[in-house]
Amino acid sequence: MARGDGFLNHDLLPNEKGPQDECGVFGVWAPGEEVAKLTYYGLYSLQHRGQESAGIATSDGARINVYKDMGLVSQVFDENTLNSMTGQLAIGHCRYSTTGASHWANAQPTLGPTQTGTVALAHNGNLTNSADLADMVAAKQQAEGGKVRGEIAQGNTTDTALVTALLAGSEGQTLEETALELLPKIEGAFCFVFMNEDTLYAARDPHGVRPLVLGRLNRGWVVASEQPALATVGASFIREIEPGEMIAIDENGVRSTRFAEATPKGCVFEYVYLARPDAAIAGRSVYESRVEMGRQLARENSADADIVIPVPESGTPAAIGYAEESGIPFTHGFVKNAYVGRTFIQPSQTLRQLGIKLKLNALETVLRGKRVVVVDDSIVRGNTQRAVVRMLREAGAAEVHVKISSPPVKWPCFYGIDFASRAELIANGAAVDEIATSIGADSLAYISEDGMIEATRQPRERLCTACFTGEYPIALPNEERRGKNLLERANQGGCEPGPDAEFEATN
Ligand SMILES: O=P(O)(O)OC[C@H]1O[C@H](OP(=O)(O)OP(=O)(O)O)[C@H](O)[C@@H]1O
Ligand SMILES: NC(=O)CC[C@H](N)C(=O)O
Ligand code: SF4
Ligand SMILES: [Mg+2]
């Protein structure tokens, strides 16, 4: 029998992953403040974006210190560690891996030498030309005597480490000059927060796939993946970092430079599921978007039922919208254990089979004899819905009608979310009624693509919808030059197919 190995593991059910989040990035420039603790609190509020590893780098103006480990922010840091990390600026990261395995050597921030000192870098996103960047790193090493240096030499296999290595620059270049020369050559989705000994930098890719915001403290500045992290540390929201913009923050304030023209393609899934509901992206409240998706779902798919319940937490705003629009009463049918995150002591096989019940329990007194509409934000592999429907029936529900506030997920994401490979997506090649049968529901309905997009209040052409439509707004490289384990493969000299190997690009 497989046994728990005592190591913290990202997945309760390792072979049954839903959509995973991505990464959270945070940076603060505030001489005189406890920058490590501010970063800790900022990362705490971004924990939902990445739960595999966490790290903070601080600088006192002369030297950069970094501390990182596997696990949640609260597991990695304690008071003593944070007290020892003094300085005037800091960056932080919580990771969900998309290029490079989930292990210590791949935790962020990454560190690397520059022409004048050291750079520390934190990244949310996923690059689509990692293979080209790896070639550039190799050529640079060749030109410099063939010696592999920095984190790559220590086994870092992430796209982030490639960028860190390239930020070393050429003789006479400042970090800012190197970054402005390098950023236009990087393709894919990226929000970088990075620093040298005295300056904090932030850059967002020209498509603005992932969110990144700037905030103001009384005596300093903050950058963060999502607005709620600003509120957590007492910073006021100033503005989003623009797609294609790089900012630099030091004692002279904020300087902005544009390294590419903006061609916005914001991730629609941030509105559906990824971001916190109290975030706003491109001026649109995520909570309002989700409630509106629920209302629209009700307009498109009515139901004859007694109660509307959400699959907590992420299904709640859409369920509120569905109940409001349909007039069917909203109630809670599940209790979610607030202490169950996604990082667990790896359970044994027997425990795994009980797994999903660690998170959700059905409220029998509410459900018995009722015709239930259950609302969730998305179906990826279908495991959550299968378990949800089973629990509702066991609790005595008379009918179970599943309503989903995003369209069927049919395509993998290459821009920072590690969706199951195409073959594992339940909607790949299956009709809606086949999916309903597979999850055991009396009926199943999804919102339309137009309905979802309309609820975000963003023009369709400014959004990425690839996982629903298969239309990838940023060109993808050939199969052998992509994949989560691209750089591990390169190290082994082999050519193992990646998790998306069966995927066929449509463009
Ligand atoms: O079809 P599946 O492969 O099961 O994935 C879909 C589920 O995963 C997500 O929730 P998740 O449990 O990850 O997190 P949440 O508690 O934040 O909603 C999402 O909200 C769906 O409920
Ligand atoms: N999900 C992310 O944003 C991951 C960042 C980066 N691609 C990594 O794998 O470390
Ligand atoms: S493919 Fe889906 S999850 Fe990935 S960036 Fe596009 S909309 Fe977001
Ligand atoms: Mg969910």
Side-chain angles (χ1 to χ4, degrees):
M1 190 216 305
R3 288 194 181 279
D5 55 10
F7 287 110
L8 286 171
N9 186 281
H10 174 59
D11 298 309
L12 175 61
L13 305 168
N15 300 316
E16 300 187 7
K17 292 196 286 183
Q20 305 296 317
D21 288 308
E22 30 190 347
C23 291
V25 292
F26 187 88
V28 55
W29 188 92
E33 302 289 357
E34 294 177 278
V35 290
K37 282 195 183 157
L38 287 174
T39 306
Y40 173 80
Y41 294 126
L43 289 181
Y44 218 109
S45 68
L46 296 171
Q47 184 73 84
H48 61 289
R49 293 184 79 85
Q51 295 152 4
E52 295 177 353
S53 60
I56 295 176
T58 54
S59 170
D60 57 9
R63 210 183 120 85
I64 294 181
N65 274 322
V66 66
Y67 188 91
K68 55 189 177 182
D69 209 342
M70 301 306 287
L72 301 175
V73 178
S74 59
Q75 293 166 326
V76 171
F77 293 97
D78 60 22
E79 184 107 29
N80 284 341
T81 312
L82 292 170
N83 284 339
S84 70
M85 299 185 77
T86 53
Q88 56 202 47
L89 68 160
I91 62 168
H93 188 263
C94 48
R95 180 172 192 237
Y96 175 71
S97 52
T98 59
T99 295
S102 177
H103 54 60
W104 190 88
N106 285 347
Q108 298 187 32
T110 48
L111 278 184
T114 64
Q115 297 302 311
T116 51
T118 304
V119 61
L121 173 76
H123 170 207
N124 170 211
N126 194 56
L127 308 183
T128 49
N129 68 334
S130 291
D132 299 342
L133 297 175
D135 292 345
M136 282 163 67
V137 171
K140 192 167 164 53
Q141 278 160 3
Q142 201 64 33
E144 288 165 3
K147 196 157 180 286
V148 181
R149 294 189 305 161
E151 294 216 6
I152 294 175
Q154 293 156 19
N156 192 319
T157 49
T158 63
D159 46 357
T160 315
L162 297 172
V163 176
T164 311
L166 292 168
L167 283 174
S170 319
E171 217 180 314
Q173 268 187 327
T174 63
L175 176 60
E176 196 159 333
E177 287 163 355
T178 308
L180 288 171
E181 193 180 283
L182 178 63
L183 288 167
K185 297 179 187 155
I186 301 175
E187 290 166 22
F190 57 84
C191 285
F192 294 132
V193 174
F194 57 111
M195 67 182 203
N196 59 12
E197 286 74 1
D198 50 29
T199 308
L200 174 67
Y201 298 92
R204 192 173 177 206
D205 72 72
H207 311 289
V209 177
R210 306 275 152 234
L212 190 65
V213 295
L214 172 68
R216 184 91 166 100
L217 289 165
N218 279 341
R219 295 190 296 169
W221 297 93
V222 174
V223 285
S225 292
E226 296 180 27
Q227 261 185 39
L230 302 182
T232 299
V233 301
S236 51
F237 171 71
I238 300 294
R239 64 176 177 87
E240 295 196 352
I241 311 294
E242 295 294 320
E245 179 187 16
M246 183 179 95
I247 60 164
I249 301 173
D250 58 19
E251 66 275 7
N252 300 316
V254 179
R255 267 175 297 122
S256 162
T257 320
R258 185 158 282 288
F259 64 88
E261 198 185 315
T263 49
K265 297 286 176 196
C267 167
V268 76
F269 217 73
E270 293 277 354
Y271 294 94
V272 168
Y273 165 77
L274 298 169
R276 283 173 57 134
D278 49 345
I281 304 174
R284 172 66 170 160
S285 151
V286 169
Y287 180 79
E288 275 307 316
S289 305
R290 289 179 191 168
V291 173
E292 184 53 30
M293 284 170 200
R295 289 190 198 110
Q296 180 60 21
L297 184 58
R299 286 191 281 269
E300 293 178 10
N301 303 284
S302 60
D304 224 357
D306 304 311
I307 52 174
V308 173
I309 64 164
V311 180
E313 289 292 327
S314 51
T316 305
I320 290 172
Y322 192 98
E324 187 191 304
E325 186 69 28
S326 64
I328 305 169
F330 173 91
T331 184
H332 288 287
F334 288 105
V335 173
K336 182 178 172 182
N337 184 332
Y339 302 95
V340 178
R342 294 203 195 124
T343 303
F344 293 93
I345 302 288
Q346 165 104 28
S348 66
Q349 192 61 34
T350 344
L351 286 174
R352 259 185 227 155
Q353 282 155 9
L354 300 172
I356 217 109
K357 284 197 184 139
L358 284 178
K359 196 166 164 179
L360 296 178
N361 288 76
L363 276 165
E364 201 178 320
T365 48
V366 172
L367 297 162
R368 184 148 298 281
K370 297 287 188 339
R371 295 169 303 162
V372 179
V373 166
V374 58
V375 181
D376 202 358
D377 57 85
S378 53
I379 300 183
V380 180
R381 292 192 189 214
N383 293 315
T384 303
Q385 283 314 314
R386 211 170 279 127
V388 156
V389 173
R390 194 181 61 230
M391 278 190 275
L392 292 175
R393 294 212 190 279
E394 280 168 9
E399 290 173 23
V400 179
H401 302 282
V402 176
K403 310 283 180 195
I404 303 294
S405 63
S406 63
V409 173
K410 291 187 175 165
W411 304 87
C413 173
F414 296 91
Y415 312 137
I417 316 296
D418 192 10
F419 278 135
S421 67
R422 212 177 163 213
E424 293 162 305
L425 298 169
I426 193 170
N428 171 39
V432 174
D433 56 340
E434 291 170 318
I435 304 171
T437 308
S438 161
I439 63 174
D442 293 304
S443 75
L444 166 67
Y446 292 88
I447 195 175
S448 65
E449 225 174 273
D450 287 346
M452 170 187 67
I453 291 170
E454 174 60 29
T456 69
R457 301 280 186 270
Q458 307 299 310
R460 175 187 274 267
E461 61 279 7
R462 290 170 78 98
L463 289 173
C464 172
T465 58
C467 49
F468 303 112
T469 59
E471 289 157 23
Y472 289 89
I474 308 173
L476 301 176
N478 293 336
E479 222 169 72
E480 71 278 6
R481 288 179 80 79
R482 66 174 185 238
K484 180 170 179 179
N485 57 356
L486 175 80
L487 300 163
E488 276 103 359
R489 263 150 49 203
N491 287 354
Q492 288 159 5
C495 203
E496 288 286 303
D500 51 279
E502 84 293 351
F503 168 79
E504 287 166 11
T506 53
N507 56 351

